[in-house]
């Protein structure tokens, strides 16, 4: 159980890092950033991939 | 500084909204993560990561999920929304694969159906309200404008072609045409429909020069007087004249015929298209007394023509054959006693009323009895 929680934390850290990378990207417009984040959120919420 | 702090700091710089979205997304994931298995969480995360990297290409099935459809569709429509200027119209694109009431892949300009609650709700609630304002009034106007834009008029044939958008009833279509765009369009539509009716009758007209039989069809739903008015319109347009093929002052007389002379005029079923045969001037009847004309007609299994048929035949003949007079300058009697028709260049077809006066030297118009073939 403890092991699985640890794995989940690691996954979340990957997600955070990816979000950070996106937000810092200079070659992506702000609208595109927002769009991608919303899409990611929708995927997380709905589970539809 | 942790990566998460960097995220929050950068997000605040990019847009206040972003931070909220990120935190919400992450906290949502936390919440889900508590209940879902690691594998499920991993699967969702994989999709989210691809979305963040710009690698996620939604399939139509993916787009069609309720949550994403709700957000993405609304956002996509708002992003594509642009004012067309004219009539305050808005143009936007509905993404392919959308499964709610707006058809998939349709690009349209606020057509019928856009006011559907399913389409309006995400626009109004989830994203910007600027485009959601494109409500009934715009739809109504735009529908009218679409119809006007689709309208084509062939000045040679007088044929009008236009498209009424799907889902728009005739009355709904007329209302914006009349109220919100231009009344001239609404009038023109009616007039052009009338011209089309007349043209249909002219197209159906055949004249047998040997038997002198005129044959034509009046379309279903068109009364005799409506047909006369339509032919007058066409005649006037075609030859650039102020008058019609039938003297306008006589239309009331023709209209009252079935009521005032019911014994001599057949009752029409206007719901049915009707083929009419008329011999404008029955050979050998000019100057012959009434009884003699009747015998002549009977001999050929014919009867006196209904005056409405006489007039229609003469009008169509004039429209089709460069104002030619079907009656050849004669006065011609029909089935109603005491009346005869005549054509001149000033009035077109008009009616002679005997009223105690001596009848002119008349001929007779004849029509075959039902089932009779004229040889």
């Amino acid at each position: 159980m403890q092991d699985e929680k640890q794995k989940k934390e690691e996954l979340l850290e990957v997600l955070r890092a990816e979000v950070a990378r996106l937000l810092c990207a200079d070659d992506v417009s702000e609208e595109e950033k927002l769009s991608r984040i919303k899409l990611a959120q929708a995927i997380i919420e709905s589970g539809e991939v | 500084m942790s990566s998460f702090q960097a995220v929050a700091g950068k997000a605040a710089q990019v847009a206040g909204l972003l931070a909220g979205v990120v935190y919400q997304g992450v906290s949502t994931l936390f919440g889900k993560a508590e209940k879902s298995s690691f594998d499920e969480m991993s699967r969702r995360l994989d999709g989210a990561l691809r979305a963040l990297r710009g690698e996620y290409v939604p399939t139509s099935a993916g787009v069609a999920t309720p949550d994403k459809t709700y957000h993405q569709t609304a956002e996509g429509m708002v992003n594509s929304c642009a004012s067309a200027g004219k009539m305050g119209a808005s143009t936007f694109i509905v993404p392919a694969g959308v499964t709610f009431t707006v058809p998939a892949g349709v690009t349209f300009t606020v057509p019928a159906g856009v006011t559907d609650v399913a389409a309006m709700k995400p626009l109004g609630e989830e994203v910007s309200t600027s485009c959601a304002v494109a409500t009934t009034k715009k739809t109504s106007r735009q529908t009218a404008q679409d119809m006007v834009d689709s309208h084509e008029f062939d000045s040679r044939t007088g044929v009008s072609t236009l498209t009424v958008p799907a889902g728009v009833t005739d009355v709904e279509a007329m209302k914006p045409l009349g109220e919100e765009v231009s009344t001239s369009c609404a009038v023109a539509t009616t007039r052009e429909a009338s011209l089309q009716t007349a043209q249909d009758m002219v197209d159906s007209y055949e004249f047998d020069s040997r038997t002198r039989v005129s044959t034509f069809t009046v379309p279903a739903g068109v009364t005799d007087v409506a047909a006369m008015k339509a032919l007058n319109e066409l005649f006037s347009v075609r030859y650039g004249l102020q008058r019609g093929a039938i003297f306008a002052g006589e239309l009331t007389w023709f209209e009252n015929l079935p009521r005032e002379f019911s014994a001599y005029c057949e009752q029409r079923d206007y719901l049915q298209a009707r083929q009419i045969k008329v011999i404008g001037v029955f050979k050998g009847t000019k100057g012959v007394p009434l009884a003699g004309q009747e015998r002549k007609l009977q001999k050929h299994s014919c009867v006196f023509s209904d005056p409405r048929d006489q007039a229609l035949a003469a009008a169509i003949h004039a429209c089709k054959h460069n104002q030619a007079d079907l009656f050849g300058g004669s006065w011609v009697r029909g089935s109603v006693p005491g009346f005869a028709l005549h054509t001149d260049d000033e009035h077109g077809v008009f009616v002679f009323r005997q009223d105690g006066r001596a009848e002119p030297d008349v001929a007779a118009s004849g029509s075959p009895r039902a089932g009779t073939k004229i040889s």
Side-chain angles (χ1 to χ4, degrees):
Chain A
M1 189 67 183
Q2 190 66 30
D3 187 40
E4 185 168 282
K5 192 172 182 181
Q6 178 67 31
K7 284 182 179 178
K8 286 180 179 180
E9 279 295 331
E10 288 173 8
L11 285 179
L12 287 177
E13 194 56 35
V14 172
L15 177 65
R16 289 173 184 137
E18 193 61 45
V19 172
R21 191 176 298 119
L22 171 65
L23 293 174
C24 294
D26 294 329
D27 58 342
V28 182
S29 71
E30 306 308 322
E31 290 80 7
E32 175 64 18
K33 287 175 185 175
L34 180 59
S35 174
R36 288 187 192 180
I37 289 171
K38 279 190 170 183
L39 181 57
Q41 183 186 359
I43 291 171
I44 291 167
E45 286 177 356
S46 69
E48 292 287 337
V49 179
Chain B
M1 187 170 71
S2 73
S3 61
F4 195 72
Q5 285 173 316
V7 167
K10 185 66 180 174
Q13 291 175 15
V14 173
L17 181 62
L18 283 182
V21 170
V22 173
Y23 279 116
Q24 189 186 344
V26 172
S27 62
T28 302
L29 186 59
F30 267 122
K32 297 278 183 186
E34 290 296 323
K35 296 172 185 173
S36 60
S37 69
F38 175 80
D39 288 341
E40 173 62 17
M41 181 180 169
S42 178
R43 192 181 68 80
R44 294 187 184 197
L45 190 67
D46 182 59
L49 289 174
R50 282 192 289 125
L52 292 169
R53 291 167 189 154
E55 298 167 356
Y56 185 82
V57 180
T59 62
S60 59
V63 175
T65 58
D67 287 341
K68 280 187 287 182
T69 297
Y70 211 59
H71 290 268
Q72 293 167 355
T73 303
E75 187 181 5
M77 285 193 282
V78 170
N79 288 341
S80 70
C81 182
S83 172
K86 185 170 59 175
M87 303 304 299
S90 292
T91 305
F92 55 86
I93 297 169
V94 177
V98 175
T99 55
F100 56 65
T101 50
V102 181
V106 173
T107 301
F108 56 86
T109 306
V110 202
V114 169
T115 54
D116 188 278
V117 173
M120 296 296 285
K121 196 174 175 186
L123 283 169
E125 289 182 0
E126 299 283 335
V127 197
S128 162
T129 56
S130 60
C131 282
V133 181
T135 50
T136 310
K137 192 168 184 183
K138 277 189 182 174
T139 300
S140 178
R141 285 188 172 190
Q142 189 56 52
T143 300
Q145 187 62 50
D146 286 346
M147 288 189 288
V148 172
D149 289 344
S150 74
H151 177 250
E152 291 178 6
F153 178 65
D154 187 325
S155 57
R156 186 183 64 80
T157 60
V159 174
S160 239
T161 307
L162 62 91
T163 303
V164 178
V168 179
T169 67
D170 291 331
V171 173
E172 284 170 353
M174 286 174 194
K175 197 173 176 187
L177 278 171
E179 289 180 1
E180 302 206 29
V181 185
S182 160
T183 51
S184 65
C185 289
V187 172
T189 304
T190 307
R191 179 169 177 264
E192 286 153 12
S194 175
L195 287 171
Q196 181 62 56
T197 300
Q199 187 62 48
D200 289 345
M201 288 188 286
V202 171
D203 289 343
S204 74
Y205 183 80
E206 290 177 8
F207 179 69
D208 187 324
S209 56
R210 187 180 64 81
T211 60
R212 316 295 292 174
V213 176
S214 296
T215 307
F216 58 95
T217 301
V218 179
V222 179
T223 66
D224 294 303
V225 173
M228 289 176 193
K229 288 178 179 174
L231 287 164
N232 274 356
E233 189 84 47
L234 182 64
F235 183 89
S236 175
V237 168
R238 183 163 292 182
Y239 300 115
L241 298 172
Q242 292 293 320
R243 71 170 176 89
I246 302 169
F247 182 42
E250 306 288 18
L251 294 181
T252 306
W253 182 77
F254 285 111
E255 197 164 28
N256 292 334
L257 272 178
R259 182 165 48 83
E260 296 183 5
F261 298 95
S262 57
Y264 304 100
C265 294
E266 66 175 33
Q267 296 300 311
R268 312 281 209 197
D269 178 5
Y270 291 127
L271 296 178
Q272 304 294 324
R274 47 200 187 280
Q275 191 186 62
I276 294 169
K277 289 180 185 289
V278 172
I279 301 169
V281 180
F282 205 95
K283 194 177 178 183
T285 57
K286 188 171 182 179
V288 175
L290 179 63
Q293 289 176 342
E294 195 165 15
R295 278 197 299 274
K296 211 166 194 52
L297 290 172
Q298 283 176 347
K299 187 179 172 186
H300 292 87
S301 300
C302 288
V303 295
F304 286 109
S305 300
D306 188 305
R308 295 168 294 178
D309 293 345
Q310 287 180 278
L312 284 170
I316 295 173
H317 190 85
C319 285
K320 186 152 189 171
H321 298 293
N322 196 25
Q323 306 181 50
D325 176 13
L326 179 66
F327 303 145
S330 297
W331 296 87
V332 281
R333 175 184 287 133
S335 59
V336 179
F339 295 90
L341 303 186
H342 186 66
T343 304
D344 70 16
D345 292 339
E346 189 179 351
H347 303 92
V349 176
F350 66 97
V351 182
F352 169 80
R353 295 158 175 80
Q354 197 166 12
D355 294 336
R357 293 177 291 170
E359 205 171 44
D361 199 14
V362 298
S365 289
S367 296
R369 289 199 190 94
T372 302
K373 186 177 179 182
I374 299 174
S375 55

